[in-house]
Amino acid sequence: MVYTPPESFMQETNMSLFIHLALWSLLVTAAFTTETDIACLKSIKNSLEDPLNILKSSWNFNNSTEGFLCYFKGVDCWHGDENRVLNLNLTNMGLRGNFPRGIENCTSITGLYLSGNQLSGTIPSDISKKLRFLSVLDLSNNNISGEIPRSLANCTYLNVLRLNNNKLTGQIPAEIGLLNRLRIFSVSNNLLSGPVPNFEFVFGADSYANNLGLCGGPLDPCLRSPPPIEFSSTFITGFVVGYMVAIALVLYTCFWLSVQKGSKKKPIEKKTKKRRETIVGRRMDIIKQNNQSNISKICEVTSNFSKQNVIGSGNMGTMYKATLPNGWFLAIKKLHNSQGFMKQFVCEIMTLGRLRHSNLVPLIGFCKDKKEMLLVYKYISNGTLYDWLHHANPIDWTLRIKVAIGIARGLAWIHYNPHVQTAHLNLTSKCILLDQKFEPKLSNFGGALFINPNETQSTEDHFIVNRDFWDIGFVKKDVHSFGMVLLEIITGKDPDRTVKSVSIFNRIPKESFTDFSTSSSGFYDAIEKCIVGQGNDGEIFQVLRIACDCVQDVPERRPTMLQVYRTLRTIGERHGLADDSDLLSQTEIAMFRFDMK
């Protein structure tokens, strides 16, 4: 479902939301935590049953090179050259067992995704001590039982908490309502009871659905007294007489006590009120200090947003490289000082906040006050695909096909995610970042749309999204954009000139794509010369056909990104680009089969 922030969130102007994970205190630490992170993943692998052998085949610890953990399935590191876990995504792997207590050794982890497995047992009561800097916790769609621990309220950096579709019992601890950074929360489809917490950010009834014992908030009001019980007339008469006598005695006693202690009551009330005002005042001081500290430290690491630190710019704002005291880097996007970009700001947060994937740029945090809107990302060191195609030394065909596979994999994942399906709608080579190993990361989700795959209501423009309309109007637009990027990868031409290449390729007979002939003049007129004649011409023609299929004028004739990804993956295997680190989940395969019907 497309996310539209509530009015209160859109009008906030005097509150710094956060740079999560105590960003500065965490990142200033110079010592790496390599050994503990290795021990963390070893413990998780040993403690969980792995019937699909996903961890067994991917998590190989017989390696001593720096950063080898970062190639494990589901592991996202702070930096590609160090074994320091940023996020752990073990979604839909069929894992069994209890909550992995060894996770506490991943001391710098910020996101834990265990959804869609068969985990049982309870949530650790000391979870806040194990995961101090956690901003995303997703335990949904498991068999976890017991009560929700109160200590979750001490995970003060939580932005996303999903506990839905489990067997949790008892009440939702009221203390969780103090998590003022929480923006996504769900406990639906459990066995919970009692009143819902009083959150600062309002969550809808769907966050609590199918818990028959829950009440309050967006749900039905909680009963203040039990339902009436029928008694005989004799009992009622006796009860009323006794009740009236008791009331008279109580009133007399209260009157006498008030006379005796009346002189002491007002000083006590005055003292209590003063103490309460002092506590509130201290909390406000702490908030103000944190706001000033966050902004001042951001200015410090970007040299007050100096021009020397600019690494990119666009319609929304400017991207700066931030250098931390320990030598690490972050990328900070400073949006233009305009409320017109609030919608894009929120959309970027809500999209990258709920979608974590190896081919999506990691959003680390965000900050907003009266004057500034800031987004903090993991720094991707190799620049954009556009720069490599047009302003750097030519890259060979193997790297180009690797980048194409990664882009297709990322788009297929967001299109067919079982929890929230997303259309990027603004894909170009300028928003595709490359890390040191040329693994592409999709960015710039400020204009994205997303829906719940089980629903058809879009709240952004108040219209009903028909499934066919969603696929043709939005998803196939991404397919067309990918085809244009693929042509740009093949031709090496600027995007505006790529359109001309489309007409050239469309004039080439379709049979030429399978029966390659070096006499095809259209081929030499359009393909970048540095990749021709290197033994890959047949593959280039095959990828050309994929690109031309993607950019067809009729959206219904375009393939899905899952079809494109599977075809490109087959080509990549010829170059040793095995994709074992990111195989499609069973749910995604099922969706692919449904899409092919």
Side-chain angles (χ1 to χ4, degrees):
M1 186 173 283
V2 179
Y3 176 80
T4 301
E7 194 70 16
S8 59
F9 182 82
M10 297 294 287
Q11 295 179 349
E12 282 180 332
T13 57
N14 194 28
M15 180 178 70
S16 173
L17 297 178
F18 78 102
I19 301 297
H20 82 290
L21 317 175
L23 191 58
W24 311 113
S25 61
L26 177 63
L27 296 180
V28 168
T29 305
F32 296 159
T33 56
T34 298
E35 295 301 324
T36 59
D37 284 51
I38 294 175
C40 169
L41 297 188
K42 283 184 177 180
S43 174
I44 293 173
K45 182 179 180 180
N46 293 332
S47 65
L48 295 177
E49 296 181 36
D50 183 20
L52 301 179
N53 291 326
I54 297 176
L55 299 185
K56 182 179 179 180
S57 60
S58 173
W59 289 19
N60 182 7
F61 293 93
N62 298 326
N63 195 326
S64 60
T65 60
E66 193 63 45
F68 76 94
L69 292 184
C70 306
Y71 294 95
F72 287 4
K73 178 174 177 59
V75 177
D76 186 20
C77 296
W78 280 89
H79 194 278
D81 293 332
E82 61 171 337
N83 295 320
R84 192 161 182 261
V85 178
L86 171 65
N87 296 299
L88 186 61
N89 189 345
L90 305 182
T91 301
N92 296 322
M93 291 189 181
L95 302 174
R96 300 171 183 170
N98 294 331
F99 184 94
R101 301 185 68 86
I103 192 69
E104 63 185 345
N105 290 319
C106 290
T107 56
S108 302
I109 191 170
T110 71
L112 179 59
Y113 304 82
L114 299 175
S115 175
N117 290 291
Q118 300 180 43
L119 301 182
S120 55
T122 61
I123 303 173
S125 59
D126 57 348
I127 189 170
S128 62
K129 295 180 180 179
K130 296 180 179 297
L131 303 168
R132 294 175 54 204
F133 304 108
L134 206 61
S135 65
V136 178
L137 177 61
D138 189 352
L139 302 178
S140 61
N141 298 287
N142 281 287
N143 296 313
I144 298 175
S145 57
E147 297 187 351
I148 300 174
R150 296 181 183 276
S151 63
L152 269 176
N154 296 324
C155 295
T156 54
Y157 303 105
L158 271 180
N159 189 27
V160 176
L161 178 59
R162 291 193 178 98
L163 304 175
N164 50 288
N165 295 289
N166 280 289
K167 299 177 181 178
L168 297 172
T169 57
Q171 296 189 4
I172 306 174
E175 293 85 350
I176 291 183
L178 300 176
L179 295 172
N180 56 11
R181 290 170 177 153
L182 204 60
R183 292 296 178 269
I184 298 177
F185 175 73
S186 179
V187 291
S188 60
N189 298 301
N190 278 287
L191 305 172
L192 299 169
S193 60
V196 302
N198 184 21
F199 288 103
E200 179 178 318
F201 188 90
V202 179
F203 298 103
D206 56 337
S207 295
Y208 311 100
N210 297 322
N211 288 277
L212 298 180
L214 288 180
C215 59
L219 306 176
D220 294 336
C222 297
L223 295 176
R224 296 182 179 275
S225 60
I229 302 175
E230 295 184 1
F231 297 98
S232 65
S233 59
T234 303
F235 178 85
I236 294 175
T237 302
F239 180 83
V240 170
V241 173
Y243 183 80
M244 292 178 65
V245 173
I247 288 294
L249 290 174
V250 170
L251 290 175
Y252 175 80
T253 303
C254 291
F255 175 77
W256 183 82
L257 291 174
S258 64
V259 172
Q260 296 295 322
K261 300 181 180 181
S263 59
K264 298 180 181 180
K265 184 176 181 181
K266 291 184 178 179
I268 292 175
E269 290 179 347
K270 184 176 181 181
K271 183 177 180 180
T272 302
K273 182 178 179 181
K274 182 177 180 181
R275 181 184 178 188
R276 187 180 299 118
E277 291 175 349
T278 301
I279 294 174
V280 173
R282 288 176 180 174
R283 290 185 64 184
M284 291 304 296
D285 288 342
I286 292 173
I287 293 174
K288 291 178 181 178
Q289 291 171 6
N290 288 338
N291 292 348
Q292 295 169 358
S293 176
N294 285 340
I295 297 298
S296 63
K297 287 181 179 178
I298 292 175
C299 292
E300 179 182 344
V301 296
T302 58
S303 301
N304 202 24
F305 298 105
S306 67
K307 293 182 179 180
Q308 290 76 12
N309 288 330
V310 174
I311 56 176
S313 60
N315 295 330
M316 285 180 59
T318 305
M319 188 74 77
Y320 296 86
K321 182 179 181 181
T323 305
L324 303 180
N326 58 6
W328 298 346
F329 303 106
L330 295 173
I332 298 180
K333 181 186 288 187
K334 181 181 181 183
L335 275 67
H336 297 308
N337 188 17
S338 170
Q339 290 300 312
F341 292 107
M342 176 60 76
K343 179 179 176 182
Q344 290 88 338
F345 177 71
V346 174
C347 188
E348 185 92 356
I349 295 169
M350 295 307 298
T351 304
L352 291 178
R354 65 172 65 183
L355 297 177
R356 293 283 181 169
H357 189 268
S358 58
N359 293 116
L360 272 61
V361 61
L363 178 67
I364 294 178
F366 62 92
C367 185
K368 177 188 176 296
D369 65 5
K370 284 184 177 180
K371 298 180 180 179
E372 305 290 356
M373 290 187 290
L374 305 174
L375 294 166
V376 182
Y377 304 90
K378 179 179 178 180
Y379 177 68
I380 309 300
S381 59
N382 235 347
T384 67
L385 174 62
Y386 180 87
D387 292 336
W388 277 95
L389 292 176
H390 306 295
H391 302 307
N393 293 328
I395 55 178
D396 61 24
W397 175 246
T398 301
L399 283 180
R400 296 184 193 221
I401 195 66
K402 177 179 181 178
V403 171
I405 292 171
I407 301 170
R409 182 171 56 237
L411 284 174
W413 190 83
I414 67 173
H415 285 177
Y416 294 94
N417 187 287
H419 304 297
V420 55
Q421 296 177 3
T422 307
H424 188 285
L425 301 181
N426 195 26
L427 183 71
T428 67
S429 59
K430 293 183 178 180
C431 67
I432 299 170
L433 306 177
L434 303 176
D435 65 13
Q436 290 183 331
K437 296 178 175 60
F438 282 85
E439 191 65 45
K441 312 283 185 180
L442 305 184
S443 67
N444 193 22
F445 282 83
L449 292 178
F450 46 88
I451 63 170
N452 186 317
N454 298 320
E455 299 178 12
T456 56
Q457 176 70 40
S458 169
T459 58
E460 182 176 24
D461 295 313
H462 305 286
F463 62 88
I464 299 296
V465 179
N466 177 273
R467 172 57 58 180
D468 292 336
F469 179 74
W470 168 259
D471 289 336
I472 296 173
F474 299 115
V475 173
K476 290 301 176 72
K477 183 180 187 301
D478 278 354
V479 176
H480 185 278
S481 298
F482 173 79
M484 297 299 291
V485 172
L486 201 56
L487 288 174
E488 191 177 349
I489 290 174
I490 296 171
T491 65
K493 294 180 173 60
D494 287 332
D496 55 344
R497 298 178 60 192
T498 304
V499 178
K500 298 179 180 179
S501 300
V502 175
S503 61
I504 294 175
F505 295 132
N506 285 337
R507 291 198 301 268
I508 301 176
K510 291 296 182 182
E511 57 270 16
S512 297
F513 288 106
T514 55
D515 184 17
F516 172 70
S517 171
T518 55
S519 63
S520 299
S521 60
F523 178 83
Y524 287 107
D525 289 341
I527 303 302
E528 189 165 14
K529 300 301 184 290
C530 65
I531 61 174
V532 176
Q534 303 297 320
N536 302 307
D537 294 347
E539 284 183 4
I540 296 174
F541 251 95
Q542 188 177 358
V543 176
L544 270 176
R545 180 164 190 170
I546 296 173
C548 290
D549 287 341
C550 291
V551 298
Q552 291 189 78
D553 294 333
V554 181
E556 292 92 333
R557 296 179 181 176
R558 300 169 192 165
T560 67
M561 284 310 306
L562 276 171
Q563 292 171 313
V564 172
Y565 166 60
R566 289 166 71 92
T567 304
L568 289 175
R569 185 177 61 180
T570 302
I571 297 174
E573 290 173 354
R574 304 170 192 165
H575 296 268
L577 301 175
D579 201 24
D580 295 338
S581 63
D582 207 333
L583 294 176
L584 293 177
S585 69
Q586 296 300 318
T587 304
E588 290 169 322
I589 292 174
M591 286 187 170
F592 171 73
R593 290 173 179 169
F594 173 80
D595 185 63
M596 291 296 292
K597 292 180 180 179

